Amino acid sequence: MSLRYRDKVVIVTGGSRGIGRGIVKVFVENGAKVLFCAIGAGGEAVEAELNKAGPGSCKYVTCDVSKEDDVKRLIAVTVEHYGHVDCLVNNAGWHPPHKPTDDTTAEEFRDLLNLNLINYFLTSKYALPYLRQRHGNIINVSSVVATIGQKCAAPYVATKGAIVSMTKAMAVDESVYNVRVNCISPGNVLTPLWEELAGQTPDAAATIKKAETYQLLGRFGTEAECGLAALYLAADATFCTGIDLLVSGGAELDYGVKSRITS
Ligand SMILES: NC(=O)c1ccc[n+]([C@@H]2O[C@H](COP(=O)([O-])OP(=O)(O)OC[C@H]3O[C@@H](n4cnc5c(N)ncnc54)[C@H](OP(=O)(O)O)[C@@H]3O)[C@@H](O)[C@H]2O)c1
């Protein structure tokens, strides 16, 4: 099997579970050296499992990407350990419980902006000096809801929309250094985060079952499919910059029953 990202150095934020874990796995399977981070438990187990399988390798570090000093350390540790950086995948983020605008405070919105958006800006800022040396690339994980909106989730949708816009702005600036900056926008992917949100509804199993029908393809996406989309942008899409690759099973297409007007 040919390895599509052999010996390239990749940073993935939030790789201990969910979409980030899928991305780390696909890169390791394709020969890359991956440094990934998270804050809670689980990173060490992923590290051990993926290093055993190879053929690439990975290293786990704890890092809270909402803290600038942690982000600086993340980039420094990568360069210390691997010598350079070829690709940065900004993935760590959070979807808060759904609630209407009337019940959402400015502080909650600011905290989410810090976690979901400013974190992507800072990791990019501190990795770019190294990415420029290697003509590398950045992949930002946004969401299909940046395009189609979502009920009772204005702050989340706003952070994801801003990620798409920031991707385009950075693609413009970094083109002079031959650094590409792209996005993937997953639709519904059944990760621990999705399951947690389903758990806040009256019937989690029914919520999950119903959500399968939101996609034209009639199912959730997988962590591995997100990993393959990221690998495509890093390894193959060498004439793409500033794009937003929807990984959504067609969730944004066709008409549906959407009207909430009852009279
Ligand atoms: N799942 C979906 O359907 C979906 C759809 C569209 C977009 N997305 C986006 O995809 C990304 C991943 O979502 P997911 O569903 O895979 O979420 P998840 O299951 O909750 O996994 C999130 C990962 O990010 C890490 N993380 C969270 N906050 C962090 C922080 N402050 N510092 C470092 N690491 C942190 C988590 O580690 P800890 O557990 O240690 O905190 C975990 O490894 C998010 O940006 C999300 O908005 C998800």
Side-chain angles (χ1 to χ4, degrees):
M1 191 183 75
S2 70
L3 301 177
R4 291 162 63 197
Y5 222 49
R6 179 183 228 140
D7 291 335
K8 299 279 192 182
V9 176
V10 182
I11 299 173
V12 179
T13 66
S16 66
R17 62 184 214 174
I19 289 171
R21 181 178 57 189
I23 293 171
V24 176
K25 186 165 187 280
V26 165
F27 275 103
V28 170
E29 284 168 352
N30 280 275
K33 300 169 186 168
V34 184
L35 192 128
F36 70 99
C37 74
I39 32 180
E44 288 90 354
V46 172
E47 180 186 40
E49 184 197 323
L50 296 185
N51 280 330
K52 201 169 157 208
S57 61
C58 62
K59 179 176 166 58
Y60 169 67
V61 295
T62 54
C63 162
D64 181 346
V65 292
S66 65
K67 299 193 172 127
E68 186 163 0
D69 284 345
D70 274 27
V71 169
K72 282 187 195 166
R73 192 174 51 82
L74 176 74
I75 308 302
V77 168
T78 309
V79 174
E80 235 168 69
H81 196 72
Y82 291 123
H84 55 262
V85 187
D86 294 294
C87 177
L88 165 68
V89 183
N90 284 314
N91 162 78
W94 185 55
H95 192 311
H98 291 263
K99 58 179 173 174
T101 294
D102 292 4
D103 300 340
T104 302
T105 66
E107 199 185 353
E108 286 168 337
F109 199 156
R110 284 193 194 100
D111 286 350
L112 197 67
L113 271 174
N114 188 47
L115 174 58
N116 282 5
L117 178 65
I118 302 194
N119 126 42
Y120 282 29
F121 174 77
L122 289 176
T123 43
S124 302
K125 173 177 169 174
Y126 293 114
L128 272 167
Y130 301 101
L131 290 167
R132 289 171 188 151
Q133 291 169 14
R134 303 281 296 177
H135 297 170
N137 71 104
I138 297 174
I139 298 163
N140 293 321
V141 179
S142 175
S143 167
V144 74
V145 301
T147 305
I148 64 175
Q150 189 180 35
K151 192 179 173 192
C152 291
Y156 178 79
V157 171
T159 64
K160 291 297 172 180
I163 288 167
V164 178
S165 301
M166 187 174 74
T167 297
K168 292 178 186 180
M170 281 197 186
V172 172
D173 291 343
E174 298 309 317
S175 59
V176 292
Y177 303 103
N178 258 314
V179 171
R180 296 177 299 112
V181 187
N182 291 299
C183 262
I184 63 171
S185 280
N188 289 308
V189 180
L190 197 53
T191 63
L193 174 63
W194 214 106
E195 287 179 300
E196 275 160 29
L197 288 168
Q200 291 154 14
T201 64
D203 183 345
T207 301
I208 289 172
K209 193 82 206 134
K210 188 173 172 206
E212 289 173 358
T213 68
Y214 298 163
Q215 288 66 236
L216 287 183
L217 299 184
R219 61 171 176 87
F220 279 85
T222 67
E223 297 171 9
E225 287 171 321
C226 295
L228 286 168
L231 179 67
Y232 165 72
L233 287 177
D236 306 320
T238 50
F239 200 47
C240 293
T241 194
I243 70 161
D244 180 18
L245 177 60
L246 301 189
V247 187
S248 63
E252 68 285 0
L253 301 176
D254 204 1
Y255 293 100
V257 180
K258 302 229 174 75
S259 174
R260 295 189 172 90
I261 299 167
T262 48
S263 59

